[in-house]
Amino acid sequence: MTAPTTAAPARGRTHPGWWQEAVIYQVYPRSFADADGDGCGDLAGIRSRLGYLRDLGVDALWISPFYTSPQADGGYDVADYRAVDPVYGSVADADGLIADAHALGLRVVVDVVPNHCSDQHPWFHQALREGPGSPLRERFHFRPGRGADGTAPPNDWISLFGGPAWTRTTDPDGTPGEWYLHLFAPQQPDLNWDSPAVQDEFRSILRFWLDLGVDGFRVDVAHGLVKAPGLPDLGHREQLALLAEKRVPYFDQDGVHEIYRSWRTVLEEYPGQRIAVAEAWTDTLDRTARYVRPGELHQAFNFKFLNASWDADQLRELVALSLDAMRAVDAPTTWTLSNHDVVRHATRYADGDPARGVRRARAAALLMLALPGSAYLYQGEELGLPEVTDLPDEVRQDPSFLRPDGGNGLRDGCRVPLPWSGTEAPYGFGPVPGGPAWLPQPAAWAALSVEAQAGDPRSVLELYRSALSVRRSHPALGAGRAVEWLDLGPGVLAFRRDSAEGALICTVNTSGRPVPVDGSALGVLLLCSAEPPSAVAAGAAGGGAGFLLPADSTAWWQAP
Ligand code: GLC
């Protein structure tokens, strides 16, 4: 066990809790760095790159699952919650990684996957072996089928990866048996959170990793644990489309909150501000805020912001709604643009033009990092990586893609291994030029490697480094609950953040053309995602002399 970090906050000001303003970098371990050369990233690889993350200027890492798993869903199908999959290393490697990170002043957040386990988990094996009526089946959702002979699933729920959310089992005597529920792949049976054994087991799993020194947890599918009593039919065929607008009987049920209150008690038993962040897809931000009420989790991902279009009005509305919703429960807002489940934002924002995508991605990063609260970065966004959209079918591993009745299942495109250096694949991802990588990297990524970008002031990497450095030192950035909106005209989002030691103004031009703005209130330029705004003559921007904000750009100004 290592002691949790007590590293002082970077800024000199009073610090309400490290997570309130932390920049947390998501590591998808399979694709980050491969130390042993098997084509798959590992914990030793992450360990070897911690200096890079410290120099980038983030406060913490969130590492996606590295537990023992058959990898039916990239490790989100856990067979042993207290062991590291041999592909990634060992618990000793995890221990060493946490110690090294703490020594560098970086915190470590790990994933916990409580909604479902792997069908290779000993509990599921036991439940199948014991047969219907066994108390060991109560840890899952087993039900008889409907219709004569029970050949129809117990209800009409659809799996998020496509097809029915139920799979029929075979009884120990070889006859067709009960069905079990899996909101995701059939290899991911849902756990039954009414079972005291499940509740106890997860409190114990949290303690296992807390004892090892982790600083917190990202809670996978935090909104899914409790299902409506009786598992009622939905009566709707388009269930996936429904998720964004309406509560369904398997998501965001009120009962989940009791679980998180009990988890908070566990977290509070430990010194050093251990936290949890919810992956909770809800229909409204007010529902998201319920996960971070006092006594529950510390943060929840803000997926509304992630899903917003590149449009000043929409962004302003979402930022305001987010801040209002979280202020009501006195929790910090989080901001994120990408993760391992969505199309990378450099491609999402491109609208068919990759250069525009990168311009907007640079601008979006500066917007996100200027907002009050905590920001989550996804590995590779600091290199401006695009989505890889042309992976051959035979290399794809997203379970949704592999299911015959699956959805589009294109999540592999954001999981392609990172380019670190060199001109030959795997570009330093693995130790040997020409060596393997579990997904092929585009040839164009040689120019996007860390090595290729480092030191180039025009690169995305150096923009992130500068932004994170200003964010650390500027008294008006980081934690906070509000912004003051400024009106600089159509197509421009602008706000001011004040502190006793200085104020910062952020201007975002989401329009595809330069926009003249009145410069009198802006002050001195600190950083811009594009070429610095040029001065324009008095009159062009209304009253006094002004600036021409470049198309699709964000600028930070030291306010007068
Ligand atoms: C979460 C994970 C995703 C995974 C799913 C099922 O949404 O982010 O990658 O497939 O849960 O565990």
Side-chain angles (χ1 to χ4, degrees):
M1 161 180 174
T2 61
T5 177
T6 50
R11 302 171 193 86
R13 59 179 176 251
T14 329
H15 195 258
W18 68 272
W19 72 90
Q20 307 247 7
E21 60 184 353
V23 177
I24 302 180
Y25 182 101
Q26 181 189 355
V27 170
Y28 192 70
R30 234 177 166 186
S31 307
F32 187 68
D34 169 22
D36 64 9
D38 65 356
C40 201
D42 43 44
L43 297 186
I46 301 172
R47 231 173 138 177
S48 73
R49 301 287 184 184
L50 289 173
Y52 166 78
L53 296 178
R54 190 254 337 257
D55 294 346
L56 181 61
V58 301
D59 301 294
L61 309 62
W62 146 37
I63 312 177
S64 285
F66 47 79
Y67 315 113
T68 303
S69 162
Q71 306 291 334
D73 182 19
Y76 283 97
D77 49 319
V78 181
D80 184 346
Y81 288 86
R82 295 180 186 80
V84 172
D85 197 287
V87 163
Y88 296 120
S90 63
V91 170
D93 290 325
D95 193 26
L97 192 164
I98 295 164
D100 286 359
H102 285 170
L104 292 174
L106 293 166
R107 306 212 182 219
V108 179
V109 172
V110 296
D111 236 290
V112 59
V113 188
N115 180 67
H116 46 264
C117 59
S118 160
D119 63 350
Q120 302 305 312
H121 191 288
W123 278 13
F124 195 67
H125 281 311
Q126 286 163 2
L128 288 181
R129 208 177 322 124
E130 297 286 321
S134 154
L136 294 180
R137 287 209 166 185
E138 281 161 25
R139 295 165 173 176
F140 299 92
H141 296 280
F142 281 93
R143 293 285 185 284
R146 291 206 276 209
D149 305 329
T151 49
N155 73 16
D156 67 357
W157 297 359
I158 305 263
S159 148
L160 272 85
F161 292 158
W166 296 89
T167 290
R168 194 166 194 186
T169 60
T170 304
D171 278 341
D173 66 5
T175 56
E178 292 182 326
W179 299 67
Y180 68 91
L181 175 69
H182 52 86
L183 290 183
F184 295 89
Q187 297 92 329
Q188 295 168 294
D190 276 50
L191 290 157
N192 173 14
W193 274 84
D194 288 336
S195 153
V198 171
Q199 297 167 14
D200 289 347
E201 173 67 354
F202 273 87
R203 280 190 293 259
S204 158
I205 292 165
L206 296 183
R207 287 197 176 95
F208 177 86
W209 290 101
L210 289 166
D211 286 340
L212 209 69
V214 302
D215 298 284
F217 300 93
R218 176 263 191 190
V219 185
D220 188 62
V221 196
H223 55 311
L225 278 49
V226 171
K227 279 74 181 174
L231 312 183
D233 276 338
L234 226 96
H236 200 295
R237 299 168 79 87
E238 301 299 320
Q239 293 181 23
L240 298 186
L242 214 61
L243 289 178
E245 289 137 37
K246 201 168 160 235
R247 219 146 358 116
V248 292
Y250 44 85
F251 279 157
D252 198 23
Q253 299 295 304
D254 289 343
V256 293
H257 297 286
E258 198 179 319
I259 299 167
Y260 299 131
R261 282 191 283 272
S262 111
W263 285 21
R264 181 67 180 244
T265 310
V266 174
L267 294 168
E268 300 288 338
E269 286 168 12
Y270 287 79
Q273 303 182 349
R274 317 294 177 102
I275 66 141
V277 51
E279 185 215 20
W281 297 82
T282 58
D283 50 347
T284 64
L285 279 157
D286 291 338
R287 293 295 300 186
T288 306
R290 292 164 60 91
Y291 290 76
V292 291
R293 289 177 294 192
E296 298 198 27
L297 303 179
H298 298 74
Q299 295 180 330
F301 290 125
N302 183 347
F303 293 121
K304 301 280 178 203
F305 179 73
L306 182 149
N307 282 325
S309 317
W310 185 244
D311 171 79
D313 291 341
Q314 198 185 121
L315 287 166
R316 187 185 300 108
E317 187 187 340
L318 273 169
V319 169
L321 281 173
S322 308
L323 291 169
D324 288 350
M326 298 304 143
R327 199 184 304 112
V329 291
D330 196 26
T333 313
T334 66
W335 313 101
T336 190
L337 294 165
S338 280
N339 63 37
H340 65 293
D341 290 329
V342 301
V343 172
R344 283 186 178 277
H345 59 275
T347 299
R348 264 189 357 249
Y349 292 144
D351 288 338
D353 173 355
R356 175 166 52 208
V358 175
R359 253 189 345 259
R360 290 179 175 176
R362 294 170 63 103
L366 289 201
L367 163 63
M368 171 171 74
L369 293 171
L371 290 169
S374 173
Y376 279 81
L377 312 182
Y378 176 52
Q379 64 178 37
E381 73 171 71
E382 80 280 19
L383 304 175
L385 294 187
E387 184 81 0
V388 179
T389 52
D390 58 355
L391 287 170
D393 287 359
E394 59 276 15
V395 304
R396 290 188 179 274
Q397 300 200 15
D398 185 339
S400 172
F401 183 79
L402 298 176
R403 283 199 75 167
D405 45 7
N408 64 11
L410 297 179
R411 294 179 302 169
D412 294 303
C414 63
R415 299 175 179 179
V416 172
L418 292 194
W420 291 93
S421 58
T423 52
E424 188 182 352
Y427 309 115
F429 165 68
V432 189
W438 74 278
L439 286 174
Q441 301 148 299
W445 282 21
L448 298 180
S449 74
V450 171
E451 184 183 58
Q453 297 196 37
D456 174 357
R458 300 167 67 99
S459 69
V460 181
L461 177 59
E462 292 301 340
L463 179 73
Y464 269 76
R465 285 179 172 162
S466 303
L468 290 168
S469 156
V470 175
R471 183 180 156 107
R472 261 172 189 263
S473 57
H474 199 289
L477 290 179
R481 297 280 192 269
V483 298
E484 181 195 340
W485 296 109
L486 307 175
D487 184 3
L488 294 184
V492 179
L493 173 79
F495 57 88
R496 179 183 169 106
R497 296 194 57 193
D498 278 293
S499 80
E501 296 96 56
L504 181 132
I505 289 173
C506 177
T507 56
V508 188
N509 175 10
T510 62
S511 74
R513 57 193 163 71
V515 172
V517 292
D518 181 353
S520 54
L522 292 181
V524 179
L525 182 72
L526 289 174
L527 194 60
C528 183
S529 67
E531 291 300 319
S534 47
V536 289
F547 292 101
L548 206 52
L549 300 179
D552 291 324
S553 73
T554 296
W556 290 357
W557 309 81
Q558 178 65 45

